[in-house]
Amino acid sequence: MDTILESRTKQVIIGADKPFCIIGERINPTGRKAFAEQLRGGDLSTVAADARAQAEAGADMLDVNAGIPLVDEADLLSQMLKIVQEAVDLPICIDSSVIEALEAGLAVYEGKPLVNSVTGEDERLEEILPLVGRHGAAVIGLANDETGIPETPEQRLDIARKIVSVAGDHGIPPQDVVIDPLAMTVGADTEAVTTTLQTIKLIRDELGVNMCLGASNVSFGLPERHALGAAFLPMAAAAGLTSAIMSCARPVVDAVRATDLLLGHDAWGASWIAAHRARKAHEEAVATR
């Protein structure tokens, strides 16, 4: 089952037999005080810089979030999306929990985006899914509802099943529903990753839809976060995860691309070898300056 996302001219396909889809997480003011203040003051220069840096680091898509308290999120998000689309030609994950902001973002987007996100709550499903359907977008469905974050993989599967079903009622096919099996910090719960991996396997086997999660959640509050991300993502991909909103730091990206090769999703290692040659060429060019 393939999920197809598009920018103006570029197409990205998320699928079980496709290379893992890296969605760059950087364009988000959460936890970035200086960036948030820049945005609040109308300085959006970092948005373009972050977009280009993540594209160069190997991102297939970019997540764009404008969630800052006491700002017009709809206006800010639409501005940020325009800037990102001018800076790079990658599909975008439009990230907001505010309906007005999603509407504004979808109105300025050129292509087929991924909307981040909807939960299993009835009210949220009825608010967001019609909007996604009207714009022909795909949507991330979080496997939690009004009762909170389920403790067991089976409970998360039940919510995922509900989201896929209700999306179908709104004309959104299963291939355009990307389920988030929920990644929680292992620093607070040593079983968190095990639960996530079990959920991924269940959703893969029972629903067959694509999946995406916030990979950096796993390492929150812990040292050496890139090392933890580089260990977690190959395990998740082997279990059936097909995309992630994640850091584009080199150790993490390299771990993901190595996993593509080892799982047979990079035929003959073509992408791995091409990336190695490009890196060497860049290093030699820098050395001769």
Side-chain angles (χ1 to χ4, degrees), residues 136-155:
V139 64
I140 294 176
L142 276 67
N144 64 278
D145 58 16
E146 60 276 354
T147 65
I149 296 173
E151 293 183 1
T152 71
E154 291 77 14
Q155 290 170 322

PDB file of all heavy atoms in Angstrom, residues 136-155:
ATOM      1  N   GLY A 136      -7.872  16.723  -0.900  1.00  0.00           N
ATOM      2  CA  GLY A 136      -7.180  15.573  -1.483  1.00  0.00           C
ATOM      3  C   GLY A 136      -5.836  15.294  -0.844  1.00  0.00           C
ATOM      4  O   GLY A 136      -4.910  14.801  -1.501  1.00  0.00           O
ATOM      5  N   ALA A 137      -5.715  15.598   0.451  1.00  0.00           N
ATOM      6  CA  ALA A 137      -4.462  15.393   1.170  1.00  0.00           C
ATOM      7  C   ALA A 137      -4.428  14.004   1.790  1.00  0.00           C
ATOM      8  O   ALA A 137      -5.409  13.250   1.750  1.00  0.00           O
ATOM      9  CB  ALA A 137      -4.300  16.464   2.246  1.00  0.00           C
ATOM     10  N   ALA A 138      -3.297  13.663   2.376  1.00  0.00           N
ATOM     11  CA  ALA A 138      -3.180  12.485   3.230  1.00  0.00           C
ATOM     12  C   ALA A 138      -3.100  12.978   4.663  1.00  0.00           C
ATOM     13  O   ALA A 138      -2.809  14.149   4.915  1.00  0.00           O
ATOM     14  CB  ALA A 138      -1.940  11.677   2.857  1.00  0.00           C
ATOM     15  N   VAL A 139      -3.337  12.086   5.624  1.00  0.00           N
ATOM     16  CA  VAL A 139      -3.400  12.529   7.016  1.00  0.00           C
ATOM     17  C   VAL A 139      -2.710  11.528   7.940  1.00  0.00           C
ATOM     18  O   VAL A 139      -2.751  10.316   7.700  1.00  0.00           O
ATOM     19  CB  VAL A 139      -4.872  12.733   7.456  1.00  0.00           C
ATOM     20  CG1 VAL A 139      -5.643  11.415   7.442  1.00  0.00           C
ATOM     21  CG2 VAL A 139      -4.960  13.415   8.823  1.00  0.00           C
ATOM     22  N   ILE A 140      -2.051  12.054   8.958  1.00  0.00           N
ATOM     23  CA  ILE A 140      -1.497  11.217  10.015  1.00  0.00           C
ATOM     24  C   ILE A 140      -2.566  11.037  11.085  1.00  0.00           C
ATOM     25  O   ILE A 140      -3.143  12.010  11.574  1.00  0.00           O
ATOM     26  CB  ILE A 140      -0.238  11.853  10.635  1.00  0.00           C
ATOM     27  CG1 ILE A 140       0.902  11.901   9.607  1.00  0.00           C
ATOM     28  CG2 ILE A 140       0.210  11.068  11.876  1.00  0.00           C
ATOM     29  CD1 ILE A 140       2.150  12.603  10.100  1.00  0.00           C
ATOM     30  N   GLY A 141      -2.827   9.784  11.465  1.00  0.00           N
ATOM     31  CA  GLY A 141      -3.789   9.485  12.517  1.00  0.00           C
ATOM     32  C   GLY A 141      -3.090   8.966  13.751  1.00  0.00           C
ATOM     33  O   GLY A 141      -2.459   7.908  13.718  1.00  0.00           O
ATOM     34  N   LEU A 142      -3.176   9.703  14.849  1.00  0.00           N
ATOM     35  CA  LEU A 142      -2.540   9.298  16.098  1.00  0.00           C
ATOM     36  C   LEU A 142      -3.399   8.267  16.825  1.00  0.00           C
ATOM     37  O   LEU A 142      -4.602   8.469  16.982  1.00  0.00           O
ATOM     38  CB  LEU A 142      -2.323  10.492  17.025  1.00  0.00           C
ATOM     39  CG  LEU A 142      -1.070  11.342  16.799  1.00  0.00           C
ATOM     40  CD1 LEU A 142      -1.150  12.080  15.470  1.00  0.00           C
ATOM     41  CD2 LEU A 142      -0.900  12.344  17.939  1.00  0.00           C
ATOM     42  N   ALA A 143      -2.764   7.226  17.307  1.00  0.00           N
ATOM     43  CA  ALA A 143      -3.486   6.128  17.945  1.00  0.00           C
ATOM     44  C   ALA A 143      -3.814   6.422  19.404  1.00  0.00           C
ATOM     45  O   ALA A 143      -3.538   5.627  20.309  1.00  0.00           O
ATOM     46  CB  ALA A 143      -2.677   4.840  17.830  1.00  0.00           C
ATOM     47  N   ASN A 144      -4.401   7.603  19.640  1.00  0.00           N
ATOM     48  CA  ASN A 144      -4.914   7.935  20.965  1.00  0.00           C
ATOM     49  C   ASN A 144      -6.251   8.650  20.809  1.00  0.00           C
ATOM     50  O   ASN A 144      -6.585   9.130  19.721  1.00  0.00           O
ATOM     51  CB  ASN A 144      -3.927   8.786  21.761  1.00  0.00           C
ATOM     52  CG  ASN A 144      -3.671  10.135  21.130  1.00  0.00           C
ATOM     53  OD1 ASN A 144      -2.871  10.253  20.208  1.00  0.00           O
ATOM     54  ND2 ASN A 144      -4.329  11.167  21.609  1.00  0.00           N
ATOM     55  N   ASP A 145      -7.024   8.714  21.880  1.00  0.00           N
ATOM     56  CA  ASP A 145      -8.344   9.335  21.820  1.00  0.00           C
ATOM     57  C   ASP A 145      -8.631  10.082  23.108  1.00  0.00           C
ATOM     58  O   ASP A 145      -7.695  10.424  23.855  1.00  0.00           O
ATOM     59  CB  ASP A 145      -9.427   8.287  21.513  1.00  0.00           C
ATOM     60  CG  ASP A 145      -9.477   7.162  22.544  1.00  0.00           C
ATOM     61  OD1 ASP A 145      -8.895   7.330  23.648  1.00  0.00           O
ATOM     62  OD2 ASP A 145     -10.092   6.123  22.258  1.00  0.00           O
ATOM     63  N   GLU A 146      -9.933  10.328  23.389  1.00  0.00           N
ATOM     64  CA  GLU A 146     -10.291  11.115  24.565  1.00  0.00           C
ATOM     65  C   GLU A 146      -9.885  10.454  25.883  1.00  0.00           C
ATOM     66  O   GLU A 146      -9.812  11.117  26.926  1.00  0.00           O
ATOM     67  CB  GLU A 146     -11.801  11.400  24.579  1.00  0.00           C
ATOM     68  CG  GLU A 146     -12.687  10.177  24.620  1.00  0.00           C
ATOM     69  CD  GLU A 146     -12.940   9.582  23.238  1.00  0.00           C
ATOM     70  OE1 GLU A 146     -12.512  10.210  22.237  1.00  0.00           O
ATOM     71  OE2 GLU A 146     -13.560   8.512  23.169  1.00  0.00           O
ATOM     72  N   THR A 147      -9.576   9.180  25.849  1.00  0.00           N
ATOM     73  CA  THR A 147      -9.146   8.493  27.074  1.00  0.00           C
ATOM     74  C   THR A 147      -7.653   8.653  27.318  1.00  0.00           C
ATOM     75  O   THR A 147      -7.145   8.232  28.355  1.00  0.00           O
ATOM     76  CB  THR A 147      -9.479   6.989  27.007  1.00  0.00           C
ATOM     77  OG1 THR A 147      -8.713   6.371  25.952  1.00  0.00           O
ATOM     78  CG2 THR A 147     -10.967   6.772  26.758  1.00  0.00           C
ATOM     79  N   GLY A 148      -6.941   9.244  26.369  1.00  0.00           N
ATOM     80  CA  GLY A 148      -5.508   9.453  26.508  1.00  0.00           C
ATOM     81  C   GLY A 148      -4.696   8.504  25.645  1.00  0.00           C
ATOM     82  O   GLY A 148      -5.181   7.999  24.625  1.00  0.00           O
ATOM     83  N   ILE A 149      -3.465   8.267  26.047  1.00  0.00           N
ATOM     84  CA  ILE A 149      -2.566   7.382  25.297  1.00  0.00           C
ATOM     85  C   ILE A 149      -2.741   5.959  25.799  1.00  0.00           C
ATOM     86  O   ILE A 149      -2.488   5.680  26.980  1.00  0.00           O
ATOM     87  CB  ILE A 149      -1.103   7.833  25.458  1.00  0.00           C
ATOM     88  CG1 ILE A 149      -0.926   9.227  24.848  1.00  0.00           C
ATOM     89  CG2 ILE A 149      -0.161   6.829  24.802  1.00  0.00           C
ATOM     90  CD1 ILE A 149       0.435   9.833  25.097  1.00  0.00           C
ATOM     91  N   PRO A 150      -3.173   5.059  24.941  1.00  0.00           N
ATOM     92  CA  PRO A 150      -3.393   3.673  25.368  1.00  0.00           C
ATOM     93  C   PRO A 150      -2.100   3.008  25.833  1.00  0.00           C
ATOM     94  O   PRO A 150      -1.030   3.239  25.271  1.00  0.00           O
ATOM     95  CB  PRO A 150      -3.932   2.987  24.111  1.00  0.00           C
ATOM     96  CG  PRO A 150      -4.456   4.106  23.258  1.00  0.00           C
ATOM     97  CD  PRO A 150      -3.558   5.266  23.536  1.00  0.00           C
ATOM     98  N   GLU A 151      -2.234   2.151  26.835  1.00  0.00           N
ATOM     99  CA  GLU A 151      -1.067   1.474  27.374  1.00  0.00           C
ATOM    100  C   GLU A 151      -0.656   0.262  26.548  1.00  0.00           C
ATOM    101  O   GLU A 151       0.521  -0.087  26.503  1.00  0.00           O
ATOM    102  CB  GLU A 151      -1.342   1.031  28.812  1.00  0.00           C
ATOM    103  CG  GLU A 151      -1.510   2.188  29.788  1.00  0.00           C
ATOM    104  CD  GLU A 151      -1.704   1.705  31.207  1.00  0.00           C
ATOM    105  OE1 GLU A 151      -1.681   0.470  31.429  1.00  0.00           O
ATOM    106  OE2 GLU A 151      -1.867   2.550  32.101  1.00  0.00           O
ATOM    107  N   THR A 152      -1.624  -0.375  25.879  1.00  0.00           N
ATOM    108  CA  THR A 152      -1.305  -1.621  25.182  1.00  0.00           C
ATOM    109  C   THR A 152      -1.326  -1.454  23.667  1.00  0.00           C
ATOM    110  O   THR A 152      -2.061  -0.611  23.128  1.00  0.00           O
ATOM    111  CB  THR A 152      -2.302  -2.729  25.563  1.00  0.00           C
ATOM    112  OG1 THR A 152      -3.584  -2.431  24.978  1.00  0.00           O
ATOM    113  CG2 THR A 152      -2.455  -2.847  27.072  1.00  0.00           C
ATOM    114  N   PRO A 153      -0.536  -2.252  22.966  1.00  0.00           N
ATOM    115  CA  PRO A 153      -0.561  -2.226  21.506  1.00  0.00           C
ATOM    116  C   PRO A 153      -1.958  -2.533  20.939  1.00  0.00           C
ATOM    117  O   PRO A 153      -2.361  -1.944  19.933  1.00  0.00           O
ATOM    118  CB  PRO A 153       0.440  -3.318  21.117  1.00  0.00           C
ATOM    119  CG  PRO A 153       1.379  -3.390  22.270  1.00  0.00           C
ATOM    120  CD  PRO A 153       0.516  -3.157  23.481  1.00  0.00           C
ATOM    121  N   GLU A 154      -2.684  -3.423  21.578  1.00  0.00           N
ATOM    122  CA  GLU A 154      -4.013  -3.799  21.084  1.00  0.00           C
ATOM    123  C   GLU A 154      -4.981  -2.618  21.140  1.00  0.00           C
ATOM    124  O   GLU A 154      -5.785  -2.422  20.223  1.00  0.00           O
ATOM    125  CB  GLU A 154      -4.559  -4.974  21.904  1.00  0.00           C
ATOM    126  CG  GLU A 154      -3.828  -6.293  21.690  1.00  0.00           C
ATOM    127  CD  GLU A 154      -2.490  -6.367  22.404  1.00  0.00           C
ATOM    128  OE1 GLU A 154      -2.223  -5.512  23.292  1.00  0.00           O
ATOM    129  OE2 GLU A 154      -1.691  -7.271  22.070  1.00  0.00           O
ATOM    130  N   GLN A 155      -4.888  -1.821  22.195  1.00  0.00           N
ATOM    131  CA  GLN A 155      -5.745  -0.645  22.306  1.00  0.00           C
ATOM    132  C   GLN A 155      -5.397   0.391  21.243  1.00  0.00           C
ATOM    133  O   GLN A 155      -6.279   1.027  20.669  1.00  0.00           O
ATOM    134  CB  GLN A 155      -5.608  -0.039  23.707  1.00  0.00           C
ATOM    135  CG  GLN A 155      -6.214  -0.885  24.817  1.00  0.00           C
ATOM    136  CD  GLN A 155      -5.838  -0.369  26.194  1.00  0.00           C
ATOM    137  OE1 GLN A 155      -4.719   0.085  26.434  1.00  0.00           O
ATOM    138  NE2 GLN A 155      -6.781  -0.440  27.128  1.00  0.00           N
TER     139      GLN A 155
END
